[in-house]
Amino acid sequence: AEAVVAGGGSVAIFDLASSDGEAVAAEMGGGTTFHACDVTDFEGTEQTLASAAESLGGLDAVVNTAGGGVARRTLSKDGPHPLDEFRQVIDLNLVSSFNINRVAAGIMAENEPNDDGEPGVMINTASIAAFVGQIGQVAYTAAKAGIAGMCLTMARDLGSLGIRVNAIAPSLFATGITKGIPDEFADALTKDAAFPKRLGKPEEYGRLAVAIIENPMLNGGCIRLDAGQRFAPR
C-alpha cells in the first residue's frame, strides 16, 4: 500500500476492525481509506469491495494478502485433523482470495483499458509452503497450493478482458507474528535460504507487487520471493 501511494496511486485498505488499519491509512494519507472487513464474510466482503471501488473512482489493482494457518498433522495422537479447522484455513486463504478476484474482475471489466489494453490486474499471495510444506502444514499447504494453481487458469479465463492474474509465493517475512521474533530464532528459521539468510522485508513484497502491476508481460505466474529457501520437513 505504501509503495502504491508513493507512486501516486490511491489505496483502499481492507483489514479486521481490530487491526491497525485505520491508523495506518490515516498516517499514509494520499487519499488512503480503511474499510473494516472480515474476508471470510464473503457476502460482506463483496459489498465492501463495491463500496471501496466507488469511493476510489474505480479499481485498477487488487492485492490479496490475508492468510493464516493451524499447526496440525493429518493424523496425530489426538486423532484425525479436524475437518472444520481444515475448512477454516481454506476459507481464509483460498476462498476469500477467489471471492475478491471474482468480484474485482466484474468491476475491472467496466474500466477503460490503459494503453496496453489492460483494465486491471490481480495479485494473490501463495507461499513457498505451496511447494515445500512442512509437517503439520497440510491445511495451509493445500490452501496456498490452490492459490498458485488457479493463477494460470484464472489468467486464461480473464485474458479476453485484458485482466491479468499473478501470485507471489513468499518465504518467511517480518510481518504479523514473525515481526518481533528474536534474531536467533529468525536465523534458525531462515538457515535453509541461499541468500540473504534473513526474514523478508514488507517493502520487498511491495516492490514486487508494484513491478507486477506495472509490467504487462507478467501474467498467469506464481513468483517465488524466498531468497532461494526450501523448507525442511520440520
Side-chain angles (χ1 to χ4, degrees):
E2 290 173 347
V4 170
V5 170
S10 298
V11 173
I13 297 174
F14 286 23
D15 208 340
L16 295 172
S18 59
S19 73
D20 294 331
E22 188 169 8
V24 169
E27 183 179 340
M28 285 174 58
T32 305
T33 57
F34 171 69
H35 304 263
C37 179
D38 178 350
V39 293
T40 60
D41 172 8
F42 305 125
E43 185 176 337
T45 299
E46 181 174 353
Q47 295 168 356
T48 303
L49 185 58
S51 175
E54 184 176 354
S55 67
L56 286 170
L59 185 64
D60 302 309
V62 165
V63 183
N64 287 308
T65 59
V70 294
R72 187 84 68 177
R73 296 186 183 214
T74 305
L75 180 65
S76 69
K77 62 181 180 181
D78 298 320
H81 194 305
L83 192 57
D84 61 337
E85 288 187 3
F86 187 89
R87 284 176 170 154
Q88 287 166 8
V89 174
I90 298 296
D91 278 351
L92 173 58
N93 294 273
L94 179 58
V95 181
S96 70
S97 294
F98 177 75
N99 184 48
I100 290 176
N101 289 162
R102 71 179 185 89
V103 176
I107 297 171
M108 290 175 178
E110 300 299 320
N111 288 347
E112 186 70 28
N114 63 16
D115 292 342
D116 292 310
E118 175 184 304
V121 57
M122 294 185 285
I123 301 170
N124 296 314
T125 303
S127 167
I128 61 170
F131 315 109
V132 282
Q134 294 182 298
I135 290 171
Q137 284 189 329
V138 63
Y140 186 72
T141 293
K144 292 305 188 181
I147 292 285
M150 74 179 180
C151 221
L152 177 59
T153 303
M154 191 181 294
R156 287 173 165 173
D157 280 352
L158 301 175
S160 61
L161 299 171
I163 297 172
R164 293 185 292 118
V165 183
N166 290 279
I168 297 173
S171 55
L172 293 161
F173 270 60
T175 61
I177 60 174
T178 62
K179 186 175 182 179
I181 63 174
D183 289 343
E184 60 270 21
F185 192 26
D187 291 344
L189 290 172
T190 57
K191 63 181 175 60
D192 297 321
F195 178 84
K197 291 180 179 292
R198 59 166 172 79
L199 298 177
K201 300 174 183 178
E203 56 267 30
E204 291 167 333
Y205 181 103
R207 286 162 60 186
L208 179 55
V210 169
I212 291 171
I213 292 169
E214 293 180 340
N215 192 329
M217 284 300 286
L218 287 172
N219 193 19
C222 183
I223 303 170
R224 299 180 71 127
L225 189 64
D226 61 8
Q229 182 165 10
R230 302 293 183 268
F231 285 147
R234 67 177 75 220

PDB file of all heavy atoms in Angstrom, residues 135-165:
ATOM      1  N   ILE A 135       5.811 -30.501   7.966  1.00  0.00           N
ATOM      2  CA  ILE A 135       4.954 -31.362   8.779  1.00  0.00           C
ATOM      3  C   ILE A 135       4.022 -30.477   9.620  1.00  0.00           C
ATOM      4  O   ILE A 135       4.460 -29.527  10.257  1.00  0.00           O
ATOM      5  CB  ILE A 135       5.806 -32.269   9.679  1.00  0.00           C
ATOM      6  CG1 ILE A 135       6.533 -33.322   8.833  1.00  0.00           C
ATOM      7  CG2 ILE A 135       4.950 -32.948  10.752  1.00  0.00           C
ATOM      8  CD1 ILE A 135       7.566 -34.115   9.603  1.00  0.00           C
ATOM      9  N   GLY A 136       2.735 -30.786   9.589  1.00  0.00           N
ATOM     10  CA  GLY A 136       1.754 -30.015  10.346  1.00  0.00           C
ATOM     11  C   GLY A 136       1.163 -28.850   9.585  1.00  0.00           C
ATOM     12  O   GLY A 136       0.330 -28.113  10.109  1.00  0.00           O
ATOM     13  N   GLN A 137       1.552 -28.682   8.306  1.00  0.00           N
ATOM     14  CA  GLN A 137       1.047 -27.570   7.494  1.00  0.00           C
ATOM     15  C   GLN A 137       0.081 -28.027   6.409  1.00  0.00           C
ATOM     16  O   GLN A 137      -0.143 -27.306   5.441  1.00  0.00           O
ATOM     17  CB  GLN A 137       2.218 -26.842   6.803  1.00  0.00           C
ATOM     18  CG  GLN A 137       3.033 -25.932   7.688  1.00  0.00           C
ATOM     19  CD  GLN A 137       4.022 -25.101   6.876  1.00  0.00           C
ATOM     20  OE1 GLN A 137       4.521 -25.527   5.837  1.00  0.00           O
ATOM     21  NE2 GLN A 137       4.307 -23.902   7.353  1.00  0.00           N
ATOM     22  N   VAL A 138      -0.534 -29.170   6.563  1.00  0.00           N
ATOM     23  CA  VAL A 138      -1.288 -29.745   5.450  1.00  0.00           C
ATOM     24  C   VAL A 138      -2.427 -28.831   4.989  1.00  0.00           C
ATOM     25  O   VAL A 138      -2.656 -28.662   3.776  1.00  0.00           O
ATOM     26  CB  VAL A 138      -1.807 -31.158   5.808  1.00  0.00           C
ATOM     27  CG1 VAL A 138      -2.786 -31.138   6.980  1.00  0.00           C
ATOM     28  CG2 VAL A 138      -2.425 -31.819   4.582  1.00  0.00           C
ATOM     29  N   ALA A 139      -3.143 -28.198   5.914  1.00  0.00           N
ATOM     30  CA  ALA A 139      -4.245 -27.313   5.517  1.00  0.00           C
ATOM     31  C   ALA A 139      -3.711 -26.060   4.826  1.00  0.00           C
ATOM     32  O   ALA A 139      -4.226 -25.642   3.779  1.00  0.00           O
ATOM     33  CB  ALA A 139      -5.076 -26.932   6.741  1.00  0.00           C
ATOM     34  N   TYR A 140      -2.675 -25.484   5.413  1.00  0.00           N
ATOM     35  CA  TYR A 140      -2.076 -24.266   4.845  1.00  0.00           C
ATOM     36  C   TYR A 140      -1.471 -24.542   3.472  1.00  0.00           C
ATOM     37  O   TYR A 140      -1.641 -23.771   2.532  1.00  0.00           O
ATOM     38  CB  TYR A 140      -1.007 -23.757   5.813  1.00  0.00           C
ATOM     39  CG  TYR A 140      -0.396 -22.423   5.442  1.00  0.00           C
ATOM     40  CD1 TYR A 140      -1.119 -21.243   5.569  1.00  0.00           C
ATOM     41  CD2 TYR A 140       0.922 -22.342   5.000  1.00  0.00           C
ATOM     42  CE1 TYR A 140      -0.554 -20.014   5.252  1.00  0.00           C
ATOM     43  CE2 TYR A 140       1.503 -21.122   4.676  1.00  0.00           C
ATOM     44  CZ  TYR A 140       0.762 -19.966   4.810  1.00  0.00           C
ATOM     45  OH  TYR A 140       1.319 -18.750   4.490  1.00  0.00           O
ATOM     46  N   THR A 141      -0.790 -25.673   3.365  1.00  0.00           N
ATOM     47  CA  THR A 141      -0.189 -26.060   2.086  1.00  0.00           C
ATOM     48  C   THR A 141      -1.259 -26.237   1.014  1.00  0.00           C
ATOM     49  O   THR A 141      -1.099 -25.775  -0.124  1.00  0.00           O
ATOM     50  CB  THR A 141       0.602 -27.370   2.255  1.00  0.00           C
ATOM     51  OG1 THR A 141       1.728 -27.126   3.095  1.00  0.00           O
ATOM     52  CG2 THR A 141       1.092 -27.893   0.924  1.00  0.00           C
ATOM     53  N   ALA A 142      -2.349 -26.904   1.364  1.00  0.00           N
ATOM     54  CA  ALA A 142      -3.426 -27.113   0.398  1.00  0.00           C
ATOM     55  C   ALA A 142      -4.004 -25.784  -0.067  1.00  0.00           C
ATOM     56  O   ALA A 142      -4.269 -25.584  -1.261  1.00  0.00           O
ATOM     57  CB  ALA A 142      -4.527 -27.974   1.021  1.00  0.00           C
ATOM     58  N   ALA A 143      -4.189 -24.849   0.868  1.00  0.00           N
ATOM     59  CA  ALA A 143      -4.757 -23.547   0.524  1.00  0.00           C
ATOM     60  C   ALA A 143      -3.820 -22.756  -0.377  1.00  0.00           C
ATOM     61  O   ALA A 143      -4.244 -22.176  -1.388  1.00  0.00           O
ATOM     62  CB  ALA A 143      -5.053 -22.764   1.802  1.00  0.00           C
ATOM     63  N   LYS A 144      -2.539 -22.722  -0.019  1.00  0.00           N
ATOM     64  CA  LYS A 144      -1.587 -21.934  -0.796  1.00  0.00           C
ATOM     65  C   LYS A 144      -1.287 -22.584  -2.148  1.00  0.00           C
ATOM     66  O   LYS A 144      -1.025 -21.886  -3.141  1.00  0.00           O
ATOM     67  CB  LYS A 144      -0.303 -21.732   0.003  1.00  0.00           C
ATOM     68  CG  LYS A 144      -0.487 -20.837   1.240  1.00  0.00           C
ATOM     69  CD  LYS A 144      -1.085 -19.482   0.884  1.00  0.00           C
ATOM     70  CE  LYS A 144      -1.081 -18.524   2.059  1.00  0.00           C
ATOM     71  NZ  LYS A 144      -1.687 -17.213   1.708  1.00  0.00           N
ATOM     72  N   ALA A 145      -1.324 -23.904  -2.202  1.00  0.00           N
ATOM     73  CA  ALA A 145      -1.169 -24.581  -3.486  1.00  0.00           C
ATOM     74  C   ALA A 145      -2.347 -24.248  -4.394  1.00  0.00           C
ATOM     75  O   ALA A 145      -2.196 -24.127  -5.616  1.00  0.00           O
ATOM     76  CB  ALA A 145      -1.059 -26.090  -3.289  1.00  0.00           C
ATOM     77  N   GLY A 146      -3.522 -24.079  -3.804  1.00  0.00           N
ATOM     78  CA  GLY A 146      -4.687 -23.671  -4.567  1.00  0.00           C
ATOM     79  C   GLY A 146      -4.512 -22.285  -5.160  1.00  0.00           C
ATOM     80  O   GLY A 146      -4.895 -22.032  -6.314  1.00  0.00           O
ATOM     81  N   ILE A 147      -3.937 -21.369  -4.377  1.00  0.00           N
ATOM     82  CA  ILE A 147      -3.656 -20.012  -4.864  1.00  0.00           C
ATOM     83  C   ILE A 147      -2.723 -20.072  -6.076  1.00  0.00           C
ATOM     84  O   ILE A 147      -2.956 -19.434  -7.106  1.00  0.00           O
ATOM     85  CB  ILE A 147      -3.013 -19.150  -3.764  1.00  0.00           C
ATOM     86  CG1 ILE A 147      -4.013 -18.856  -2.638  1.00  0.00           C
ATOM     87  CG2 ILE A 147      -2.440 -17.860  -4.339  1.00  0.00           C
ATOM     88  CD1 ILE A 147      -5.049 -17.830  -2.964  1.00  0.00           C
ATOM     89  N   ALA A 148      -1.647 -20.850  -5.937  1.00  0.00           N
ATOM     90  CA  ALA A 148      -0.685 -20.977  -7.033  1.00  0.00           C
ATOM     91  C   ALA A 148      -1.320 -21.657  -8.239  1.00  0.00           C
ATOM     92  O   ALA A 148      -1.104 -21.257  -9.381  1.00  0.00           O
ATOM     93  CB  ALA A 148       0.540 -21.757  -6.566  1.00  0.00           C
ATOM     94  N   GLY A 149      -2.144 -22.668  -7.978  1.00  0.00           N
ATOM     95  CA  GLY A 149      -2.709 -23.460  -9.056  1.00  0.00           C
ATOM     96  C   GLY A 149      -3.758 -22.739  -9.879  1.00  0.00           C
ATOM     97  O   GLY A 149      -3.896 -22.997 -11.076  1.00  0.00           O
ATOM     98  N   MET A 150      -4.513 -21.839  -9.248  1.00  0.00           N
ATOM     99  CA  MET A 150      -5.586 -21.184 -10.004  1.00  0.00           C
ATOM    100  C   MET A 150      -5.083 -19.987 -10.818  1.00  0.00           C
ATOM    101  O   MET A 150      -5.819 -19.402 -11.606  1.00  0.00           O
ATOM    102  CB  MET A 150      -6.729 -20.749  -9.074  1.00  0.00           C
ATOM    103  CG  MET A 150      -6.471 -19.553  -8.206  1.00  0.00           C
ATOM    104  SD  MET A 150      -7.961 -19.190  -7.209  1.00  0.00           S
ATOM    105  CE  MET A 150      -7.377 -17.757  -6.287  1.00  0.00           C
ATOM    106  N   CYS A 151      -3.811 -19.638 -10.632  1.00  0.00           N
ATOM    107  CA  CYS A 151      -3.241 -18.449 -11.259  1.00  0.00           C
ATOM    108  C   CYS A 151      -3.380 -18.461 -12.780  1.00  0.00           C
ATOM    109  O   CYS A 151      -3.968 -17.548 -13.375  1.00  0.00           O
ATOM    110  CB  CYS A 151      -1.764 -18.377 -10.892  1.00  0.00           C
ATOM    111  SG  CYS A 151      -1.211 -16.750 -10.520  1.00  0.00           S
ATOM    112  N   LEU A 152      -2.836 -19.452 -13.426  1.00  0.00           N
ATOM    113  CA  LEU A 152      -2.836 -19.509 -14.882  1.00  0.00           C
ATOM    114  C   LEU A 152      -4.249 -19.688 -15.424  1.00  0.00           C
ATOM    115  O   LEU A 152      -4.634 -19.057 -16.408  1.00  0.00           O
ATOM    116  CB  LEU A 152      -1.932 -20.636 -15.386  1.00  0.00           C
ATOM    117  CG  LEU A 152      -1.900 -20.831 -16.908  1.00  0.00           C
ATOM    118  CD1 LEU A 152      -1.425 -19.566 -17.614  1.00  0.00           C
ATOM    119  CD2 LEU A 152      -1.019 -22.018 -17.273  1.00  0.00           C
ATOM    120  N   THR A 153      -5.030 -20.549 -14.772  1.00  0.00           N
ATOM    121  CA  THR A 153      -6.394 -20.783 -15.237  1.00  0.00           C
ATOM    122  C   THR A 153      -7.221 -19.508 -15.185  1.00  0.00           C
ATOM    123  O   THR A 153      -7.954 -19.183 -16.135  1.00  0.00           O
ATOM    124  CB  THR A 153      -7.072 -21.875 -14.396  1.00  0.00           C
ATOM    125  OG1 THR A 153      -6.296 -23.060 -14.449  1.00  0.00           O
ATOM    126  CG2 THR A 153      -8.466 -22.166 -14.912  1.00  0.00           C
ATOM    127  N   MET A 154      -7.112 -18.756 -14.082  1.00  0.00           N
ATOM    128  CA  MET A 154      -7.859 -17.510 -13.978  1.00  0.00           C
ATOM    129  C   MET A 154      -7.352 -16.487 -14.989  1.00  0.00           C
ATOM    130  O   MET A 154      -8.142 -15.730 -15.579  1.00  0.00           O
ATOM    131  CB  MET A 154      -7.775 -16.946 -12.556  1.00  0.00           C
ATOM    132  CG  MET A 154      -8.736 -15.793 -12.317  1.00  0.00           C
ATOM    133  SD  MET A 154      -8.618 -15.098 -10.659  1.00  0.00           S
ATOM    134  CE  MET A 154      -9.211 -16.469  -9.676  1.00  0.00           C
ATOM    135  N   ALA A 155      -6.040 -16.445 -15.198  1.00  0.00           N
ATOM    136  CA  ALA A 155      -5.483 -15.543 -16.204  1.00  0.00           C
ATOM    137  C   ALA A 155      -6.033 -15.877 -17.585  1.00  0.00           C
ATOM    138  O   ALA A 155      -6.320 -14.980 -18.388  1.00  0.00           O
ATOM    139  CB  ALA A 155      -3.958 -15.625 -16.203  1.00  0.00           C
ATOM    140  N   ARG A 156      -6.188 -17.156 -17.873  1.00  0.00           N
ATOM    141  CA  ARG A 156      -6.767 -17.570 -19.148  1.00  0.00           C
ATOM    142  C   ARG A 156      -8.256 -17.211 -19.213  1.00  0.00           C
ATOM    143  O   ARG A 156      -8.757 -16.772 -20.250  1.00  0.00           O
ATOM    144  CB  ARG A 156      -6.567 -19.068 -19.348  1.00  0.00           C
ATOM    145  CG  ARG A 156      -5.127 -19.435 -19.675  1.00  0.00           C
ATOM    146  CD  ARG A 156      -4.915 -20.937 -19.703  1.00  0.00           C
ATOM    147  NE  ARG A 156      -3.654 -21.280 -20.359  1.00  0.00           N
ATOM    148  CZ  ARG A 156      -3.144 -22.497 -20.412  1.00  0.00           C
ATOM    149  NH1 ARG A 156      -3.773 -23.513 -19.819  1.00  0.00           N
ATOM    150  NH2 ARG A 156      -2.009 -22.730 -21.035  1.00  0.00           N
ATOM    151  N   ASP A 157      -8.953 -17.412 -18.091  1.00  0.00           N
ATOM    152  CA  ASP A 157     -10.366 -17.042 -18.023  1.00  0.00           C
ATOM    153  C   ASP A 157     -10.579 -15.579 -18.367  1.00  0.00           C
ATOM    154  O   ASP A 157     -11.543 -15.213 -19.048  1.00  0.00           O
ATOM    155  CB  ASP A 157     -10.912 -17.274 -16.604  1.00  0.00           C
ATOM    156  CG  ASP A 157     -11.273 -18.714 -16.313  1.00  0.00           C
ATOM    157  OD1 ASP A 157     -11.259 -19.544 -17.238  1.00  0.00           O
ATOM    158  OD2 ASP A 157     -11.585 -19.008 -15.141  1.00  0.00           O
ATOM    159  N   LEU A 158      -9.689 -14.733 -17.860  1.00  0.00           N
ATOM    160  CA  LEU A 158      -9.870 -13.286 -17.951  1.00  0.00           C
ATOM    161  C   LEU A 158      -9.038 -12.637 -19.048  1.00  0.00           C
ATOM    162  O   LEU A 158      -9.068 -11.423 -19.216  1.00  0.00           O
ATOM    163  CB  LEU A 158      -9.534 -12.638 -16.599  1.00  0.00           C
ATOM    164  CG  LEU A 158     -10.380 -13.122 -15.409  1.00  0.00           C
ATOM    165  CD1 LEU A 158      -9.875 -12.513 -14.107  1.00  0.00           C
ATOM    166  CD2 LEU A 158     -11.850 -12.802 -15.612  1.00  0.00           C
ATOM    167  N   GLY A 159      -8.287 -13.452 -19.784  1.00  0.00           N
ATOM    168  CA  GLY A 159      -7.394 -12.907 -20.805  1.00  0.00           C
ATOM    169  C   GLY A 159      -8.108 -12.116 -21.879  1.00  0.00           C
ATOM    170  O   GLY A 159      -7.601 -11.107 -22.370  1.00  0.00           O
ATOM    171  N   SER A 160      -9.308 -12.561 -22.255  1.00  0.00           N
ATOM    172  CA  SER A 160     -10.041 -11.855 -23.308  1.00  0.00           C
ATOM    173  C   SER A 160     -10.477 -10.463 -22.857  1.00  0.00           C
ATOM    174  O   SER A 160     -10.768  -9.597 -23.686  1.00  0.00           O
ATOM    175  CB  SER A 160     -11.264 -12.665 -23.742  1.00  0.00           C
ATOM    176  OG  SER A 160     -12.160 -12.846 -22.651  1.00  0.00           O
ATOM    177  N   LEU A 161     -10.502 -10.253 -21.547  1.00  0.00           N
ATOM    178  CA  LEU A 161     -10.862  -8.941 -20.996  1.00  0.00           C
ATOM    179  C   LEU A 161      -9.634  -8.074 -20.746  1.00  0.00           C
ATOM    180  O   LEU A 161      -9.767  -6.893 -20.422  1.00  0.00           O
ATOM    181  CB  LEU A 161     -11.627  -9.123 -19.674  1.00  0.00           C
ATOM    182  CG  LEU A 161     -12.952  -9.886 -19.757  1.00  0.00           C
ATOM    183  CD1 LEU A 161     -13.478 -10.176 -18.363  1.00  0.00           C
ATOM    184  CD2 LEU A 161     -13.971  -9.109 -20.571  1.00  0.00           C
ATOM    185  N   GLY A 162      -8.454  -8.675 -20.846  1.00  0.00           N
ATOM    186  CA  GLY A 162      -7.220  -7.935 -20.580  1.00  0.00           C
ATOM    187  C   GLY A 162      -6.866  -7.841 -19.117  1.00  0.00           C
ATOM    188  O   GLY A 162      -5.995  -7.061 -18.738  1.00  0.00           O
ATOM    189  N   ILE A 163      -7.528  -8.641 -18.277  1.00  0.00           N
ATOM    190  CA  ILE A 163      -7.242  -8.621 -16.831  1.00  0.00           C
ATOM    191  C   ILE A 163      -6.185  -9.676 -16.519  1.00  0.00           C
ATOM    192  O   ILE A 163      -6.352 -10.850 -16.846  1.00  0.00           O
ATOM    193  CB  ILE A 163      -8.511  -8.900 -16.017  1.00  0.00           C
ATOM    194  CG1 ILE A 163      -9.544  -7.799 -16.262  1.00  0.00           C
ATOM    195  CG2 ILE A 163      -8.187  -8.990 -14.523  1.00  0.00           C
ATOM    196  CD1 ILE A 163     -10.910  -8.072 -15.646  1.00  0.00           C
ATOM    197  N   ARG A 164      -5.096  -9.243 -15.912  1.00  0.00           N
ATOM    198  CA  ARG A 164      -4.006 -10.154 -15.571  1.00  0.00           C
ATOM    199  C   ARG A 164      -4.163 -10.688 -14.146  1.00  0.00           C
ATOM    200  O   ARG A 164      -4.716 -10.021 -13.275  1.00  0.00           O
ATOM    201  CB  ARG A 164      -2.648  -9.448 -15.682  1.00  0.00           C
ATOM    202  CG  ARG A 164      -2.288  -9.061 -17.101  1.00  0.00           C
ATOM    203  CD  ARG A 164      -0.886  -8.478 -17.195  1.00  0.00           C
ATOM    204  NE  ARG A 164      -0.755  -7.178 -16.550  1.00  0.00           N
ATOM    205  CZ  ARG A 164       0.032  -6.896 -15.526  1.00  0.00           C
ATOM    206  NH1 ARG A 164       0.801  -7.840 -14.991  1.00  0.00           N
ATOM    207  NH2 ARG A 164       0.100  -5.674 -15.032  1.00  0.00           N
ATOM    208  N   VAL A 165      -3.641 -11.909 -13.930  1.00  0.00           N
ATOM    209  CA  VAL A 165      -3.683 -12.540 -12.608  1.00  0.00           C
ATOM    210  C   VAL A 165      -2.325 -13.155 -12.323  1.00  0.00           C
ATOM    211  O   VAL A 165      -1.805 -13.942 -13.115  1.00  0.00           O
ATOM    212  CB  VAL A 165      -4.763 -13.642 -12.532  1.00  0.00           C
ATOM    213  CG1 VAL A 165      -4.828 -14.214 -11.117  1.00  0.00           C
ATOM    214  CG2 VAL A 165      -6.128 -13.109 -12.961  1.00  0.00           C
TER     215      VAL A 165
END
